[in-house]
Amino acid sequence: MTSPTGSFVVVANRLPVDRGDDNAWRTSPGGLVTALEPVLRQHEGVWIGWPGGHLQGYGPFEVQGLSVLPIHISDEEVAYYYDGMSNGTLWPLYHDLVAKPSFRREWWDAYVRVNRKFASAAAESAEQNGVAWIQDYQLQLVPAMLRELRPDLRIGFFLHIPFPPMELFLQLPWRDEILKGLLGADIVGFQRPNGASNFARLVRHRLGHKTHRDRIFVGEREVAARSYPISIDFKQLETLARSVEVQTRAKEIRAELGNPRHVLLGVDRLDYTKGIRQRLRAFGELIVDGRVDLEDVAFVQVASPSRERVGQYQEVRDDIERWVGRINGDLGRIGHPPIHYLHSSYPREEMAALYRAADIMVVTPLADGMNLVAKEFVTCRYDNTGALLLSEFAGAADELKQAFLVNPHDINGLKDSMWRSMQTSPRELSRRMRGMRKQVRDHDIDAWAEAFLRDLAGAELAVDTDARADADANADADEL
Ligand code: F6P
């Protein structure tokens, strides 16, 4: 079968779908797929990605109206490029060193090789003068590789995770190669404005390029570094949350929990950046302190399995399961454990029912590009009920200002906010929820994609000679 072609090509580490052991199609994990799938459907493009476990050996195929091109990666490449360089080096480095990154040369070599595979596939799939949109930290070299192969394309790159401050990024032995890789794009998009400014500062400092506001001058080309906070398909999820099936299931869940006064909910990939231990500790201490009665509460923690071959992920799982065991063992009674821990992934219908069943959504990452779970919860609360506890260190905190904002490192602060959210009047909760829902409704995934693709289409990228002159004049002042 020949490779599919299209004028719009998404290049992401993972395909949007995988096949389970039962052979049924499933949506791949993570916020990236949640956000991008509707965009690709709308543009009728081609999605290039790694098929993960169950699709090895597949050629190009169509599923649920999506045109998909799997990239095959050997077992050693998976170990070095995905487990190693992507999730053992870049992930912890970009998340404020919450865990210690390892720097291994053979991981880097595999990263370069696999990025080249993705770039070659994109070069073959994109039609003349088409658009290629490259996603995330696993593929930071693809923009420059693709530009070399296909200078006719408009190339966009979006980083879904935080981009670190200069002081941390400089530790990376391949820092210049990554910066040059990203500069192959016409637009480098970040979740938050500080990601864009960290990047601009680094390319000035390391590569000597001049910059002016969000523009970077790379020879004859201009590259824009801007923030585009990602979002979700508000309409689709809200419709699902309003369905009779979801409402019935939500009631069932509450009943299964014993209809307590307050259902607290956490939903995360099982990752050390998510602050799961901190939130469970705070919750357990509220019961121990007697501020909250066990009879009145239930905490449901969904932790979907993630990157299970990476040592740090095995450690975080052990750690969290120890805490769950300790808290349930110390505080629970028969038929009533304080924490309901689910190490599993669930379909969207079940997630919507959980969001509807909860009273308090607890989102406490130590560092997070955006955190779409927070936006999903808000979207499902169409009756303006419920409280959102949200870490200041999630990108979503820039937008969801009416949440109970918390510093997840501060356990006492976390306890106070949890307690306060239980005491807050329905009227005040409704005021807060209305504000957050408006924000997500007005800034949904379509608005995000439109803003990025409009800019990429070039309107604002025509070489601006005034800006270049300003950059020359300000070069000294711009220096560190
Ligand atoms: O959003 C960050 C991210 O790494 C995405 O790139 C990815 O789709 C998601 O999390 C899930 O991670 P993984 O593909 O490693 O399971």
Side-chain angles (χ1 to χ4, degrees):
M1 198 169 166
T2 52
S3 291
T5 57
S7 57
F8 182 68
V9 174
V10 164
V11 191
N13 174 56
R14 257 188 210 279
L15 289 182
V17 286
D18 190 13
R19 253 191 165 150
D21 294 328
D22 54 359
N23 229 16
W25 293 110
R26 272 182 232 303
T27 304
S28 299
L32 184 152
V33 169
T34 312
L36 271 169
E37 204 198 87
V39 177
L40 196 82
R41 272 184 207 292
Q42 219 181 58
H43 288 82
E44 294 181 358
V46 179
W47 187 309
I48 297 175
W50 169 52
H54 291 90
L55 289 175
Q56 289 293 356
Y58 262 73
F61 62 97
E62 299 237 342
V63 60
Q64 299 157 6
L66 293 174
S67 186
V68 165
L69 175 60
I71 300 291
H72 295 289
I73 302 178
S74 71
D75 288 350
E76 186 186 273
E77 285 169 341
V78 173
Y80 289 3
Y81 147 80
Y82 174 72
D83 295 334
M85 188 68 201
S86 297
N87 294 317
T89 306
L90 296 169
W91 181 267
L93 182 71
Y94 282 30
H95 285 88
D96 285 349
L97 302 186
V98 170
K100 193 170 157 37
S102 303
F103 301 114
R104 301 262 300 268
R105 285 168 289 179
E106 64 275 25
W107 291 359
W108 169 253
D109 293 342
Y111 186 82
V112 176
R113 267 199 319 278
V114 174
N115 270 244
R116 206 174 291 290
K117 280 191 192 182
F118 278 86
S120 307
E124 276 177 33
S125 289
E127 288 169 3
Q128 190 66 23
N129 301 322
V131 168
W133 197 0
I134 299 146
Q135 311 293 325
D136 230 355
Y137 63 102
Q138 303 96 340
L139 301 177
Q140 293 174 96
L141 304 179
V142 173
M145 290 171 170
L146 182 56
R147 177 162 299 284
E148 212 176 303
L149 295 168
R150 292 289 307 273
D152 58 298
L153 300 178
R154 298 300 283 172
I155 301 176
F157 178 90
F158 185 76
L159 185 71
H160 292 251
I161 66 174
F163 189 77
M166 185 156 98
E167 294 66 24
L168 301 187
F169 186 83
L170 286 178
Q171 293 187 12
L172 190 63
W174 310 281
R175 53 206 181 176
D176 293 355
E177 287 87 336
I178 296 271
L179 295 174
K180 285 181 194 157
L182 292 170
L183 285 175
D186 295 296
I187 298 191
V188 186
F190 299 88
Q191 299 276 25
R192 303 179 96 165
N194 66 357
S197 55
N198 290 345
F199 178 68
R201 191 169 170 225
L202 271 157
V203 296
R204 277 201 306 272
H205 174 66
R206 290 297 312 167
L207 306 179
H209 294 309
K210 296 198 171 116
T211 66
H212 182 69
R213 302 219 170 97
D214 60 6
R215 287 160 192 262
I216 301 164
F217 303 97
V218 184
E220 289 305 300
R221 298 174 50 235
E222 271 189 39
V223 176
R226 294 184 189 147
S227 66
Y228 299 87
I230 201 166
S231 194
I232 55 166
D233 191 333
F234 182 91
K235 275 195 222 93
Q236 195 193 60
L237 183 57
E238 197 200 49
T239 305
L240 179 65
R242 284 178 185 271
S243 69
V244 178
E245 292 78 8
V246 166
Q247 293 186 42
T248 310
R249 177 69 192 130
K251 281 202 189 96
E252 252 170 50
I253 293 172
R254 282 195 80 97
E256 283 162 11
L257 294 168
N259 284 320
R261 279 176 64 192
H262 307 286
V263 175
L264 292 88
L265 174 66
V267 172
D268 309 82
R269 273 187 312 99
L270 182 37
D271 193 298
Y272 51 80
T273 59
K274 300 293 184 184
I276 300 173
R277 172 176 6 120
Q278 286 78 354
R279 80 181 67 142
L280 297 182
R281 258 191 97 164
F283 174 69
E285 286 189 19
L286 279 179
I287 300 173
V288 173
D289 297 348
R291 287 168 86 185
V292 165
D293 189 335
L294 174 64
E295 303 301 319
D296 288 343
V297 287
F299 199 121
V300 178
Q301 176 63 54
V302 175
S304 37
S306 184
R307 306 174 189 164
E308 294 185 290
R309 301 180 344 161
V310 180
Q312 287 153 329
Y313 286 78
Q314 293 159 4
E315 284 164 25
V316 72
R317 179 172 178 192
D318 287 347
D319 179 50
I320 284 163
E321 294 182 356
R322 249 198 322 270
W323 274 99
V324 171
R326 189 177 297 170
I327 294 171
N328 282 349
D330 287 350
L331 305 177
R333 56 173 182 73
I334 288 178
H336 201 124
I339 299 170
H340 297 256
Y341 170 75
L342 305 162
H343 182 242
S344 191
S345 312
Y346 294 96
R348 295 186 66 67
E349 295 71 21
E350 181 72 0
M351 294 315 302
L354 278 164
Y355 292 137
R356 290 291 315 154
D359 301 295
I360 303 168
M361 182 81 216
V362 190
V363 182
T364 54
L366 310 174
D368 209 337
M370 173 54 61
N371 198 293
L372 293 179
V373 162
K375 292 189 175 181
E376 288 177 347
F377 173 69
V378 162
T379 300
C380 290
R381 308 307 297 204
Y382 53 80
D383 49 0
N384 297 317
T385 57
L388 173 65
L389 237 75
L390 179 61
S391 163
E392 294 162 23
F393 306 121
D398 289 350
E399 295 176 79
L400 304 180
K401 295 192 184 345
Q402 298 87 345
F404 293 83
L405 290 177
V406 294
N407 169 2
H409 299 281
D410 172 9
I411 303 289
N412 283 343
L414 214 48
K415 287 164 67 179
D416 289 344
S417 296
M418 253 181 214
W419 187 81
R420 202 153 58 84
S421 69
M422 293 179 205
Q423 310 307 317
T424 303
S425 70
R427 195 188 154 99
E428 168 62 8
L429 291 180
S430 157
R431 186 193 66 77
R432 288 172 178 249
M433 188 55 78
R434 265 202 302 274
M436 294 191 283
R437 285 176 51 76
K438 177 166 175 19
Q439 174 66 28
V440 182
R441 190 187 303 112
D442 294 350
H443 300 87
D444 66 356
I445 189 63
D446 289 344
W448 172 78
E450 239 174 74
F452 191 98
L453 295 175
R454 191 187 340 103
D455 286 358
L456 188 58
E460 296 173 42
L461 280 181
V463 171
D464 179 339
T465 38
D466 289 348
R468 194 181 281 267
D470 278 355
D472 285 339
N474 295 336
D476 292 340
D478 267 352
E479 280 311 316
L480 292 172

